[in-house]
């Protein structure tokens, strides 16, 4: 799968991670509350230069704390999740570990990760306004909580939006990037009228462009139904789309989704929201490449770079590579790219859109966890506060080496100042929401449903299936998937709740 879903997918076990030293801060002076001794910090290799950031931070921290020795260890990304799981269970993990959101699911309930809720409620001793929690992008801490515990402190965000060829926009008379869905349809009309191809995509499982758009729409369209879906919640809970804190600690459970589906709230065949999202998506059909059903995801980026298409729905993970490719073109073929959020749907598109438009498609790319077994908990928390302070994070992002990057991964930390060459895109959620569908993933519930969605999506775009037929197919697939999920999550499912709600 192209982009985020391909690059951040969990892979198999990597034996090399097991070869890392297993000592966990075993110095004689290693006591809770003593900010001295060795601190092992583990991060994964990847497309971003995390090592340079961490080594710069370690040097800065050691200059402030003569008794601390920060040891930076890097491990291959492939197999990182499974190898980390083994280390956590055997109590041999490093003292501070870089993780992605899927890697921490279940750790809070199993007692494998330190609960940082209390620490986040206090001030960061290295700077920032308010509590340590206030120093992060609104909602980012809450989005990765597990079993009511904060098991992960956010670090960097990943963003997906609209990259565009500025030269081509000028040729078409487009002076500002489109902000709304109808603005975008009009802009695509202008691009076609000027003899340019608006968008090249692949309607299949190796390209996520159309799925990303559909997902962001559905999130916004279903947001007004939050209280009808989130029936198992904290006492007195109320949803307020204007307050990110209103969804703190809340999530949709399999039994809640099943009840919402059976009541028709999220059933594609009965939901006006799902139907409208599909109708809006099909407005793009005249603006896509004629071979969209046969095209391959691997072609999409190169079509944009070559100028064969004007826009690319992509993310911060891909933009540095795109810039490198453009820089390798002949001088007369090079162009400057712009980056903006997906155009938002508005009440003009759907009157039921009463809880705000589409949020930026952004989320926590990675963050940090402190294993419960560490003997250097106090030092780990202190170093983590240090690297998540605005001043130090600013130094680290400069050390990351994003020179020339139009839109690199932004920090989840509020107040970071980026290098002049770094064009920051907006990752801040404007509206509070409880995710109904996973970030960057099609609106499916498991692998089988994922495969069925692909076939059904292709049938819709090819014209072999009508909207009604597509929605009926989605309805059956979603119900089957939800029932499978109830079995998989049987220990967490409240059968009494289901019976009470459905009679």
């Amino acid at each position: 799968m192209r982009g985020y879903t391909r690059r951040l997918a969990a892979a198999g076990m990597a034996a090399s991670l097991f070869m890392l030293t297993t000592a966990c801060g075993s110095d004689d002076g290693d006591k809770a509350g003593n900010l001295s001794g060795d601190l092992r910090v583990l991060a994964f290799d990847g497309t971003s230069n995390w090592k340079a950031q961490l080594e710069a931070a370690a040097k800065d921290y050691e200059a402030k704390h003569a008794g601390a020795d920060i040891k930076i260890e890097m491990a291959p990304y492939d197999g990182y999740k499974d190898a980390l799981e083994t280390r956590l269970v055997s109590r041999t993990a490093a003292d501070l570990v870089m993780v992605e959101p899927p890697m921490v699911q279940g750790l809070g309930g199993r007692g494998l990760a330190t609960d940082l809720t209390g620490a986040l409620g206090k001030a960061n001793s290295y700077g920032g306004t308010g509590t340590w929690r206030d120093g992060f992008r609104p909602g980012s801490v809450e989005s990765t909580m597990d079993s009511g515990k904060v098991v992960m402190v956010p670090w960097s965000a990943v963003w997906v939006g609209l990259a565009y060829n500025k030269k081509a926009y000028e040729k078409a008379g487009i002076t500002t990037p489109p902000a709304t869905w109808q603005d975008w349809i009009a802009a695509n009309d202008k691009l076609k009228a000027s003899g340019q191809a608006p968008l090249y995509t692949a309607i299949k499982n190796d390209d996520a462009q159309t799925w990303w758009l559909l997902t962001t729409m559905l999130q916004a369209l279903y947001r007004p139904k939050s209280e009808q879906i989130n029936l198992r919640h904290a006492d007195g809970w109320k949803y307020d789309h204007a307050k990110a804190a209103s969804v703190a600690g809340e999530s949709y459970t399999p039994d809640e989704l099943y009840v919402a589906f059976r009541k028709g709230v999220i059933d594609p065949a009965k939901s006006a929201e799902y139907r409208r999202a599909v109708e809006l998506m099909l407005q793009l059909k005249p603006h896509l490449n004629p071979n969209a059903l046969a095209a391959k995801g691997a072609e999409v980026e190169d079509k944009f770079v070559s100028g064969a298409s004007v826009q690319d729905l992509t993310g911060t993970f891909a933009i540095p590579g795109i810039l490198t490719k453009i820089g390798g073109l002949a001088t007369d073929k090079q162009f400057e790219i712009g980056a903006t959020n997906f155009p938002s749907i508005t009440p003009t598109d759907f009157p039921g859109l009463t809880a705000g438009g589409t949020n930026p498609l952004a989320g926590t790319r990675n963050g940090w966890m402190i294993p419960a077994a560490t003997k250097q908990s106090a030092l780990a928390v202190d170093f983590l506060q240090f690297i998540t302070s605005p001043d130090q994070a600013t130094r680290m992002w400069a050390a990351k080496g994003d020179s020339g990057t139009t839109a690199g991964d932004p920090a989840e930390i509020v107040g970071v100042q980026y290098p002049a060459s770094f064009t920051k895109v907006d990752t801040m959620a404007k509206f509070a929401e409880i995710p109904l569908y996973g970030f960057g993933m099609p609106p499916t519930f498991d692998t089988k449903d994922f495969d069925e969605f692909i076939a059904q999506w292709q049938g819709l775009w090819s014209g072999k299936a009508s909207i009604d037929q597509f929605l009926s197919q989605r309805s059956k697939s979603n119900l089957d998937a939800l029932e499978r999920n109830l079995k998989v999550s049987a220990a967490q499912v409240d059968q009494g709740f289901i019976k009470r709600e459905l009679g």
Side-chain angles (χ1 to χ4, degrees):
M1 190 178 299
R2 197 172 69 96
Y4 181 86
T5 51
R6 179 191 66 197
R7 295 170 185 248
L8 301 189
M13 186 177 298
S16 53
L17 183 58
F18 286 91
M19 297 175 67
L20 294 172
T21 174
T22 61
C24 290
S26 57
D27 290 12
D28 291 339
D30 181 13
K31 306 292 183 184
N34 183 3
L35 301 181
S36 65
D38 293 350
L39 183 78
R40 289 177 53 224
V41 180
L42 176 66
F44 43 76
D45 292 319
T47 56
S48 298
N49 194 3
W50 309 123
K51 186 177 182 182
Q53 288 182 296
L54 293 169
E55 289 179 340
K59 185 176 181 180
D60 290 342
Y61 188 82
E62 289 167 353
K64 292 178 178 290
H65 302 278
D69 184 8
I70 311 300
K71 300 180 180 297
I72 307 301
E73 301 171 353
M74 305 300 294
Y77 180 78
D78 286 348
Y80 188 92
K81 179 181 184 295
D82 291 333
L84 174 61
E85 167 81 11
T86 300
R87 287 295 185 191
L88 290 172
V89 171
S90 64
R91 304 174 69 84
T92 57
D95 305 298
L96 182 62
V97 181
M98 178 178 274
V99 288
E100 291 173 351
M103 297 179 185
V104 300
Q105 293 175 2
L107 298 186
R110 296 161 62 194
L112 296 176
T114 299
D115 182 3
L116 296 168
T117 304
L120 284 161
K122 302 174 183 178
N124 184 339
S125 56
Y126 294 98
T129 303
T131 65
W132 186 18
R133 182 191 290 257
D134 293 332
F136 298 97
R137 183 174 64 90
S140 59
V141 171
E142 292 77 14
S143 69
T144 57
M145 291 176 67
D146 182 74
S147 300
K149 301 176 181 179
V150 178
V151 295
M152 172 180 169
V153 169
W155 175 244
S156 75
V158 61
W159 166 91
V160 176
L162 180 65
Y164 59 92
N165 181 329
K166 288 187 175 181
K167 186 186 297 184
Y169 264 33
E170 291 172 3
K171 179 181 176 181
I174 303 170
T175 56
T176 57
T180 71
W181 185 261
Q182 295 309 320
D183 287 344
W184 193 33
I185 297 300
N188 288 333
D189 286 335
K190 289 183 178 180
L191 289 169
K192 286 188 69 174
S194 66
Q196 302 179 94
L199 189 67
Y200 191 95
T201 193
I203 309 292
K204 56 176 60 178
N205 64 338
D206 61 357
D207 184 54
Q209 291 190 94
T210 55
W211 302 340
W212 285 329
L213 285 171
L214 179 62
T215 299
T216 55
M217 276 191 193
L218 289 172
Q219 292 285 73
L221 289 167
Y222 280 125
R223 206 180 295 136
K225 301 289 182 69
S226 296
E227 291 185 9
Q228 296 179 44
I229 303 172
N230 191 42
L231 298 176
R232 298 176 64 193
H233 50 67
D235 291 342
W237 176 79
K238 293 291 183 183
Y239 173 70
D240 185 342
H241 76 277
K243 295 181 180 179
S246 73
V247 297
E250 298 293 337
S251 62
Y252 294 142
T253 57
D255 42 11
E256 286 177 322
L257 292 172
Y258 179 73
V259 166
F261 183 96
R262 292 296 300 271
K263 288 183 175 181
V265 178
I266 61 172
D267 180 350
K270 299 177 181 177
S271 164
E273 291 84 4
Y274 208 118
R275 174 178 291 274
R276 187 54 180 158
V278 171
E279 291 172 345
L280 289 169
M281 284 298 303
L282 290 177
Q283 290 180 3
L284 282 178
K285 194 170 183 179
H287 304 296
L288 302 185
N289 43 305
N291 70 328
L293 287 160
K296 298 178 180 178
E299 304 170 11
V300 172
E301 188 172 284
D302 289 339
K303 292 292 184 180
F304 175 65
V305 170
S306 69
S309 65
V310 174
Q311 302 162 121
D312 186 12
L313 306 183
T314 190
T316 50
F317 44 78
I319 288 178
I322 290 174
L323 290 170
T324 298
K325 289 180 180 180
I326 292 174
L329 299 175
T331 303
D332 63 333
K333 298 292 185 182
Q334 293 182 12
F335 59 90
E336 184 180 356
I337 72 170
T340 188
N341 286 310
F342 288 150
S344 177
I345 54 175
T346 70
T348 299
D349 301 306
F350 187 72
L353 195 74
T354 58
T358 50
N359 275 324
L361 183 55
T364 299
R365 180 175 189 180
N366 54 41
W368 298 95
M369 65 157 291
I370 300 174
T374 180
K375 297 177 182 178
Q376 282 283 35
S377 179
L379 181 56
V381 169
D382 196 70
F383 182 68
L384 185 52
Q385 286 190 332
F386 179 71
I387 65 175
T388 57
S389 64
D391 289 346
Q392 184 59 30
T394 293
R395 289 172 61 85
M396 294 176 72
W397 248 259
K400 187 168 178 283
D402 271 324
S403 177
T405 297
T406 295
D409 286 333
E412 289 279 43
I413 302 153
V414 175
V416 171
Q417 301 297 310
Y418 300 94
S421 58
F422 189 109
T423 301
K424 184 176 179 295
V425 290
D426 184 11
T427 62
M428 300 290 281
K430 297 181 176 68
F431 311 106
E433 63 186 25
I434 305 173
L436 183 60
Y437 303 117
F439 177 87
M441 294 296 290
T444 54
F445 296 96
D446 64 9
T447 302
K448 188 174 188 300
D449 191 24
F450 172 88
D451 293 338
E452 291 171 354
F453 172 85
I454 293 167
Q456 293 157 4
W457 195 231
Q458 289 175 320
L460 174 71
W461 285 88
S462 69
K464 293 181 180 178
S466 66
I467 292 178
D468 284 338
Q469 289 171 327
F470 171 77
L471 295 174
S472 177
Q473 293 165 357
R474 280 285 72 218
S475 177
K476 183 180 185 307
S477 293
N478 279 179
L479 179 58
D480 289 346
L482 283 167
E483 289 177 342
R484 289 192 294 270
N485 274 357
L486 290 179
K487 293 179 181 178
V488 171
S489 307
Q492 290 79 43
V493 169
D494 185 340
Q495 292 292 344
F497 161 76
I498 294 175
K499 290 179 180 177
R500 287 193 303 273
E501 290 297 323
L502 299 180

